[in-house]
Structure formats: structure tokens, C-alpha cells
Amino acid sequence: MICLLFLSWIAVESSFAEQFYDPSDCSSDTSYPGSRYTCNSIRQSCSTFLVYRSNQHFGHQNLLDIAALFQIKPDELLDLNNIASASDILKPGREVLVPITCLCSGQYFQASLNYTVPERTSIPEIACGVFEGLSKSLTLLQENPSQGNDVEIRVKLHVPLRCACPDNSTGVNEVKYLVTYPILEGDGTAPLSMKFNISPQELLAANHLEPKSTVFPNTTVLVPLKSDPNINLNIPDSPPPTPGFLPTTTVEKTKKTKLRNLYIAGSIVGFLLVTVALLACGLYVKALKKWKGERLQSFTDRNSVLSGSTARSSPRSGQTGRSSTNSCLSPDLLAGIKFSLYNYGMDDIRRAANDFNESSNKIGEQVYKGLIDNESVMIKQMKFEDTRRVIDMHSKINHVNIVNLHGVCYGENDFAWSYLIFELPANGCLRNCLSEQAHHLNWSRRTRIAFDVATVLHYLHYCIFPSYAHMSVNSRNIYVTSKWRAKLANIGSTLAVTSSTRDNNVDAVNGLVAPEYPVNGPASVKVDIFAFGVVLLELISGKDATEGTLLKDSIGFLGGGANEGGCFERLRSFIDPSLKDEYLLAEALCLAVLAKACIEEDPLRRPSMDDILKVLGRMV
């Protein structure tokens, strides 16, 4: 019986010249025998058919859509597919016979058509999605040499569809058509043979396949027919095409052993590399622990309260400062900051600040600029209890938009001045950037700075526990880096606000301060919202917050009462003239409205930093 089947397959194979089956995915960029069906010397053209499935994803749901895609008349599809109306919506995956003219072009058969791309897509999406594998990505690129893999809208492509003409040597039992059929997951030679009422041997022979060969999804086979095609719809249809096609890689039997050996070798090498990496990590952690222990012991010895006389030194400069008879650092504080801060000597600080020169180095109240190891720093003079509070706060936070604390220099006792050393961003404070013409803050930089400040306030309000209200947000406490990003300073310097500190802050903004600014008692994040609104007004107008009443009155037109044209004119007059017309009026209006909401008298009517971030996030 087996011999008879084999002889039958040989007889069928010899009745016509077979084409080769290409097992590679339609998105593959490698050419195989059968990637395109080759011409023969006998027939140069023929009328034949291909199978296309209704595809809702790409908008081909009825015969009108399919006819338009293949550039034929809908009437040609009606009788051929036993469908009543060309406008009827077809079941997803419904197989439709499409008549085509197959021509020999060069050395390959193909049915040519033009396709105009309706939306931005890619060559594999067109080949494997729109045309369901009836053309390969590689073939599309070869036929459109000036086109890359990404395809823009309204580009016209030349699409060569896969087809073939039979080469019959006799008129007896000759093959009339070779129908191009795209394979999807679930298709096979047996159900396909039943669908077209042919023998599996005929199907295998037409595609140069051996018995028990496997056909793969996203490929095509040729179905040899001796009469007009008719699909048996009682055989279940293949599943509808999916929007994305995952490539199926086929492996030749001759390569299986080599691949298996390669996998084994790769696994062994990978295991050895992981083992070496783990050993190296273990040794590194052990060495790091030993080094940290030595550093902690050394640092504790230098600052121990039991020490009679110890020197404080800067690890950067290596120079020794003045000696101290007692230490201001407790063991629990040392545990929190032991590796995060440098311990500077007083000589280091005096040298960096040019002996605290008032004219050249002073940049604020008890704040000096300096240079340590060629790096610009801010040196802030503080009382010991304030210094400890700032260090404690900085040990709990970590944010890119906060000015970094580099080191500390303590006085000889608890009543002497101490100094904290911070980074000094290259462009100085925001107030100077807005005031000096040398620092041109264009509109995009201003919106980015507003977003950065909002981001760090959101972090302080929501992302640390307990939440922290800055209580001193203003353009002089906001610094700008060389890349025009904002950093907030003065973190941890505000405790429970007293009447004296309130007076200082009110003086700083000449009355434009939150009405609920606490005289005594806990701080409120709503005060930060108010202060942020003032900073927004400064960014829009370029004016100093010391003109507080003027700033607030300048946006009174946003409360209503002015017509649209008058509103925009008054807004333009409020915007910093140095911006000229290099800004978006809609964004400026949005920022002004946001600023007005932030400085509402009633704290409950002010937005949260979460709300503010959502608004600013759309501008950057």
C-alpha cells in the first residue's frame, strides 16, 4: 500500500513542473527557493486565482473593500464566491477567491498592482498584514528600491503578488490553475486538500514537498486545480488574520545537532560567567565592608567626645584645620552622615570664601560663594542647632532638583558659628537670571524651571514621611544649572515659624505672602503653593517679588470683567518684554491662570502640587 501511494505521488509530480515551497516567514529578509515562483519557458502568462481572507483590522470586511484592494470589479467576486451582495459584511476570516492575471516578469511570476498607503506603517505590516503574506517583505523592498522599512502616508508602492502558471506537457488530466493560498496557524495539507477536493499528493507535488512535510504560518502554497476553483465552506475556515505577525523560524534537520551543541556550550559559558560575577561581587562587598569599617572608626576617632584634641580635615584638600577641644557630632548623627559629608576645617572655609570678603564673595544673608578644588560652592553660616537640623533633613531626601549638601565645618563649641557647604549651580539664583540681560531665559527654559520647582515641591509634599513644607520658596532660593534646570535651596532651614521669621519672610516679598503664614504652630504645604504662584508670576513678568502688590494687581484682569481681546492685550503687557514675541500666548495665559489660582486668599481654593504638575507636564 505504501508503495502504491509513493508511486501515485511520483506520477502526480511528473504531470507538471512543480514550484518550491518557501518555509520562511513573510517578514523574513532572507531569500529562499520559492520566495518567488520562477517562470518556465512554455507559459509566460495565465489567468489564475489567489485566496484572501476578510480582515476587519485593515478595513477589508466586504467584497467592495477587497475588490478595491486588488483593483478589480466587485461583480467578478460575487458569482465566484456565492455571495449575494458586495456590500455584505463578511465573517472575519472568510476566504474569498480573487481572480488575477499572472505574468512572467524577468525570471519570476507575479501579479502586479499599485497600493497607496493610507497611514504611516512599515513594509512587514503591508506584506504580512494588509496582503496576508501574498507578498514577502523582501520582495516589496526589491520592487521599491527607494523605499525604506518605514512607510509614510500616501506613498504609492508597487506590490508583486505571488502566483504561478502550470506547465503541462500533455492534455490528459492536466492542471488548469495554481491557486495561491496563504497559510495561517491551524492550516495543514490534509484540511487544505479537503477544502479544494484534491488529493494530498497533488498538493505536496505542486509545492515540491515530501510526504509528512510541515507548512508554516505566514507562508503560501500553490493549490493545483484541474477545474474552476470552488472552496468547500463546510470545512472550517482558518482563523482570521491577526494585527501582528510573529515570525516563525524553521530549523533544518541537518542543523539540529549543531544548534543543540551550541546551546549546551552557551549554557556552560553563561553559567561560568554568572559564577565568576557572583564571586567578584562577594569579594567586592567584603572589601567594601572592611573599608567602611575603617572609615567609620577613623571618622569617629577624630570627632569623639572623649577625644582631648582632634584635628578636622577636608578629605578633598588633605589640609588640617584648627584643633577643637570637643566635638559637636553625636554618635547617632555620625551614623546617618558618616559617608555623605566632608568635614572641613576652618582654614579651608576661610580660604574658599576669600576670608569672607563682603564685596566679592557675599551673595546673601550669611551666605558666601567660594571655590574648593576648582568647584564653585555656597558657604552658609549657621548656628549649631540649625546646622544639625539641615543635615538631618538632607540625610532623608534624595532629589535631582535639590541643591546638594557637600560638607560641614563646625565651630569650636556649641555656641560658635558653624558652616554648611553646598553646591553652587553655574547660573546662580533665578532672581539674577531674570534680572540680568546676560542670562537670557527664553520661554521654554522658564516653563522647564517652573516644572522642575513643581516636581521638587511635589516630592517634599508627597514622597517623604513626614511630608515637609519648605516655607521659603522664592526666586532667590531657586538656583539654575548650566543646563537651565532648577534646583531648590534652603532645605531644612525652616522650623516652626516664629513671628520674627515671619517678619523676615514678609519683608522678602513686601507683603505678597500667604495670609495664613503661621506666626506660631505647624507649617502648611499651602504656603508653598502660594509662594510657587509668586514664582510663576516672576517667571512670566520678569519682575521682582518685592513688587508684590503690583504683581498681584497686574493679573486682576483674569478675574473677569474684561473682554477677550482686552484680556490678551493686558496679558501681553504683563509678560517680560525681553521675551519679545518668542512665546506661546496660550501657554502664557495658562501659567497666569495657574499663578492666580495658587495665590488665592483661601488656602482651600488653591490647587495641590499634584494638580499643578498635571498642568505643567503638558508644556515641557
Side-chain angles (χ1 to χ4, degrees), residues 3 40 97 106 115 124 137 142 183 197 243 297 327 336 341 475 503 532 539 556 578 588:
C3 292
N40 53 59
L97 284 165
Y115 175 69
S137 300
Q142 290 172 345
I183 301 292
N197 195 27
Q297 183 62 42
S327 169
L341 295 180
S475 58
D503 292 340
F532 179 74
L539 286 168
S578 68

Side-chain angles (χ1 to χ4, degrees), residues 82-134:
N82 297 320
I83 296 175
S85 173
S87 60
D88 289 347
I89 300 300
L90 303 177
K91 185 178 69 173
R94 167 61 154 87
E95 293 175 344
V96 176
L97 284 165
V98 179
I100 57 171
T101 300
C102 189
L103 299 173
C104 182
S105 176
Q107 57 179 328
Y108 300 112
F109 281 120
Q110 64 185 44
S112 300
L113 57 84
N114 293 321
Y115 175 69
T116 302
V117 179
E119 61 183 3
R120 194 173 187 275
T121 183
S122 64
I123 288 292
E125 186 74 1
I126 294 172
C128 304
V130 176
F131 289 98
E132 301 178 358
L134 293 169

Side-chain angles (χ1 to χ4, degrees), residues 262-334:
L262 183 62
Y263 291 151
I264 294 173
S267 301
I268 294 173
V269 171
F271 175 76
L272 291 175
L273 289 175
V274 170
T275 303
V276 171
L278 289 174
L279 288 174
C281 289
L283 293 174
Y284 172 76
V285 170
K286 184 177 180 180
L288 186 61
K289 286 183 178 179
K290 181 179 180 181
W291 177 76
K292 283 184 177 181
E294 292 173 351
R295 281 285 304 273
L296 176 61
Q297 183 62 42
S298 174
F299 190 64
T300 306
D301 290 345
R302 288 202 310 268
N303 297 281
S304 172
V305 293
L306 300 176
S307 171
S309 177
T310 59
R312 295 188 180 148
S313 63
S314 165
R316 293 188 180 189
S317 62
Q319 297 173 351
T320 303
R322 57 184 178 174
S323 59
S324 173
T325 56
N326 70 355
S327 169
C328 301
L329 292 178
S330 63
D332 58 330
L333 182 61
L334 279 173

Side-chain angles (χ1 to χ4, degrees), residues 102 121 157 174 208 260 274 294 300 352 379 402 406 477 599:
C102 189
T121 183
L157 296 176
E174 66 180 17
H208 205 76
R260 185 176 58 206
V274 170
E294 292 173 351
T300 306
I379 301 170
I402 292 177
H406 285 336
N477 279 334
I599 61 173

Side-chain angles (χ1 to χ4, degrees), residues 195-262:
K195 190 173 290 187
F196 285 93
N197 195 27
I198 63 173
S199 68
Q201 291 77 19
E202 290 176 301
L203 182 63
L204 294 172
N207 295 276
H208 205 76
L209 290 170
E210 298 178 359
K212 298 184 180 180
S213 294
T214 301
V215 290
F216 298 92
N218 305 326
T219 63
T220 62
V221 295
L222 293 172
V223 180
L225 299 178
K226 298 175 183 178
S227 59
D228 291 343
N230 182 30
I231 300 178
N232 184 356
L233 298 179
N234 293 323
I235 305 299
D237 288 336
S238 303
T242 54
F245 286 79
L246 299 176
T248 302
T249 304
T250 59
V251 181
E252 298 179 13
K253 293 182 179 180
T254 55
K255 296 181 179 179
K256 285 185 178 179
T257 303
K258 292 182 179 179
L259 285 176
R260 185 176 58 206
N261 293 338
L262 183 62

